[in-house]
Each structure stands twice: as structure tokens, then as C-alpha cells.
């Protein structure tokens, strides 16, 4: 017989998932409700309202897609992109490549531009690409956890409007951890996941879209035959090629029409609602500062140990830090020491960075002083066990000093 689930008490300091806030886990233990129960519909409406606060938007269509963060990426792209549409994807890490891949599956004529991993695009470079490619849709990551970089977006929304393109932003890694005022920055569709700065488990993907995007999506609305009333007409646009990720149907389901689509993942909705509630109770400016403080302290500690930070520090996300594995050190052995002796998980890396950097997350519930200090102490012990010379005790002292001056 399998035993009861009793996982080791890990501290998850990788690029996500991170430990869920205990209040989120508590909300998830609440009993289920039917998806059309008036109380459940009230929870859905509250979830919309709470995420308007998190996304800093007045968008009517603010909801959660059931599935991990890529479910919302796929819903956004499948619903925006009509076959043959030109789509511009600025790639500065693994998750840019993911958007290229999804856009291709949607039948797009994809034009990717690439920046070296560890850097981001200048606004000028994006403008040149917009002018040259004339895309209908631009799909970009805000923060890419694979490289730890955050693409500045404050001007891209306006530029996309000038060039008549819709802008989709993947904010999986940044929502709740750094500024992303959706309306001020004129972002048309933005989505995220819970398992990073929102402090929840993966499995629910908040998404918001504005009227520009709504117009594109609603003209592709095709109501399932078993649900359609005689007086309802399909939109004149081409059908969205995914049923599960059809945002027109998901919007009908979330609207007061409550038109049946999937069976809402009740427990995940409780989680998403609680993540947003906790974040707004803390206040966005406070949460952003907490992430910046944790990042600064972690970086100060890593550098005091003599380690080198990865990438363009002016554009590093405040919630994930890349650090070079010192020459001669087996990065996997150090990660194993951290896991086995300290119960701490830090991240390895992908693609061109594989074996070269560790990625350490300080996000959501784990963007805390004690989590940063314990991780630095564990990393120091792991490096020392590999005979790497370093000033003992300096990392924790430097991190504490950074916290005191914050
Ligand atoms: C920027 C970004 N986009 C998308 C994803 C994919 O998220 P998920 O694994 O929840 O589908 C991740 C996960 O790390 C991410 O960092």
C-alpha cells in the first residue's frame, strides 16, 4: 500500500514553483461547490474583481484559465491568432521559444527576433521589428525565468497601437513581484500562473484582456451545438481551433450568461482567489519592495561569497537571480547537498546556460529574510564541501546588512 502523502519540508528557492502561502493551502481544503451554485458564482465574481486589482486594470474580462501558466498562454494565442496572421515574438530566453512554438501551432506566420540570453531588447529594436514585420500580434515574456531577465514594457503597448498590433504579455514570472500596470502600459492581453510571485500552487492561470482583444476574439465566437439557442449566431471570424482554450467560450462561461463550458477547477479557483486576496491585503507596492529587498540581499550575499551574478543586472527580475557556478565546482553536487542536508531546492538551468548557472528564486511567500539567509548559509556549506575556497560567514552578514539598509 502507498503511504499517506507526507513530503519533506523543503524550502523551494528555485525559479518556481515556490512554497505556497499556508493560507492558500487552507483555502484549498474548503469543500467543493457546484460550478453554478450562487455562492460559487460569487467567488468567481470576487476573483475577477481581485485580479483587476492585481493586474491594475479595469478590464471587464479578468478571469482564470484552468491549467498551468502555459494554459493561459495557449488560450491567449489560440484565441488571438487567426491562421496566416503574422506574429512577432521577441525571444530572450526559453519562454520566448515557447511562444514561437505555440504561435506556429496556431498557424501563424511567426517572425522571431532574438536577444542573447542574459540581455533584453531595447525599445528601438522592438520598434524596428514592428516596422519591418507589421505583425497583427506581438507575443512577449515580461520576465523570463530561464535567463532571470525582465523586458521593459512601459512603451511597447503604445508602440503596438501605433503599428496596429495586439500585444500579448506572458507575466507568469512577474505578476505580483514587480510592477505591471496593465492599463497604464496599454497591454492588450496579459496572463500569469500562481506558482511564482503569487504564492500558490501551479494549476490556475489568471488572465486579463481589454476591449481591443475582446473585439478580435468575439468575432470568432462559435457556440457549441448542444448549448446554442436558435436566436444565437456565430461570429463571422474563423473558429478558434482549440475548444478547451477558446477564450470566447471561457468568457461566456465567466459572464452572467454562465454558459456551460468546462467544469471549473473549484479548488484551484479558491487558491487563485486567496493568492490575490493576500497580495492585495499586503499592498502591491509593499509586495514589490519585499521582492526587491530579498533580491538585493541575496545578490549581496552571493557576491560576498565571491560568486559572479549572471546577465545584465540593470534588467534582472527582482525575484529570480542567476549566479555562475564557479569553475571546478560540480553544480549538481552542491544542489544535492542543499537538498539533502538543508531541505532547500535551488534551480539548475536550460539550453545554453545548462551547467553554467544556478537560478535562485526569492518570490511570493519565499521572498523573505529568513529564506534568503538560510539559502545563503546552505549554499556556502555546499560550496565548502566541494573544496571551493570562500570567506566563511560573509554571505549571511552581507545579506543581513543589505536588509538593514533597505
Ligand atoms: C515566463 C514563463 N512563462 C511560462 C512558464 C510556464 O509555466 P507553466 O509551467 O506553469 O505552464 C514559465 C514557467 O517557469 C515561465 O517562467
Amino acid at each position: 500500500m502507498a503511504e499517506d502523502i507526507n513530503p519533506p519540508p523543503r524550502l523551494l528557492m528555485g525559479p518556481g514553483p515556490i512554497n505556497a502561502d499556508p493560507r492558500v493551502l487552507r483555502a484549498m481544503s474548503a469543500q467543493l461547490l457546484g460550478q453554478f451554485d450562487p455562492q460559487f458564482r460569487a467567488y468567481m465574481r470576487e476573483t475577477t474583481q481581485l485580479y483587476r486589482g492585481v493586474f491594475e486594470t479595469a478590464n471587464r474580462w479578468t478571469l482564470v484559465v484552468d491549467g498551468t501558466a502555459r494554459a493561459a498562454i495557449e488560450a491567449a494565442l489560440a484565441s488571438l491568432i487567426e491562421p496566416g496572421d503574422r506574429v512577432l515574438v521577441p525571444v530572450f530566453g526559453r519562454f520566448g521559444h515557447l511562444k514561437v512554438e505555440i504561435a506556429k501551432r496556431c498557424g501563424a506566420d511567426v517572425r522571431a527576433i532574438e536577444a542573447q540570453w542574459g540581455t533584453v531588447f531595447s525599445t528601438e529594436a522592438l520598434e524596428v521589428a514592428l516596422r519591418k514585420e507589421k505583425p497583427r500580434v506581438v507575443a512577449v515574456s515580461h520576465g523570463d525565468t530561464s535567463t532571470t531577465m525582465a523586458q521593459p514594457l512601459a512603451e511597447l503597448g503604445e508602440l503596438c497601437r501605433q503599428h496596429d498590433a495586439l500585444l500579448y504579455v506572458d507575466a507568469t514570472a512577474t505578476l505580483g513581484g514587480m510592477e505591471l500596470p496593465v492599463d497604464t502600459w496599454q497591454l492588450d492581453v496579459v496572463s500569469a500562473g500562481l506558482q511564482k510571485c503569487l504564492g500558490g500552487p501551479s494549476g490556475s492561470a489568471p488572465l486579463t484582456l481589454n476591449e481591443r482583444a475582446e473585439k478580435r476574439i468575439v468575432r470568432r465566437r462559435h457556440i457549441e451545438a448542444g448549448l446554442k439557442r436558435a436566436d444565437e449566431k456565430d461570429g463571422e471570424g474563423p473558429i478558434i481551433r482549440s475548444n478547451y482554450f477558446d477564450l470566447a467560450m471561457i468568457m461566456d462561461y465567466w459572464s452572467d450568461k454562465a454558459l456551460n463550458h468546462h467544469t471549473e477547477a473549484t479548488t484551484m479557483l479558491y487558491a487563485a482567489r486567496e493568492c490575490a486576496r493576500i497580495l492585495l491585503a499586503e499592498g502591491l507596492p509593499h509586495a514589490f519592495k519585499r521582492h526587491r529587498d530579498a533580491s538585493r540581499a541575496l545578490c549581496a550575499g552571493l557576491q560576498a561569497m565571491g560568486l559572479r551574478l549572471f546577465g545584465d543586472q540593470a534588467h534582472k527580475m527582482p525575484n529570480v537571480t542567476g549566479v555562475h557556478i564557479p569553475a571546478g565546482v560540480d553544480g549538481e553536487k552542491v544542489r544535492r547537498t542543499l537538498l539533502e542536508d538543508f531541505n532547500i531546492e535551488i534551480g539548475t538551468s536550460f539550453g545554453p546556460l545548462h551547467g553554467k548557472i544556478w537560478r535562485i528564486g526569492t518570490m511570493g511567500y519565499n521572498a523573505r529574510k529568513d529564506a534568503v539567509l538560510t539559502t545563503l548559509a546552505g549554499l556556502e556549506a555546499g560550496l565548502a564541501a566541494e573544496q571551493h575556497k570562500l570567506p566563511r560567514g560573509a554571505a549571511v552578514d552581507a545579506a543581513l546588512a543589505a536588509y538593514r539598509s533597505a
Side-chain angles (χ1 to χ4, degrees), residues 68-70 73 95 143 145 170 172 195-196:
T68 67
R70 84 176 55 204
I73 301 175
F95 292 103
T145 43
D170 169 9
T172 303
Q195 74 270 27
K196 304 199 193 261

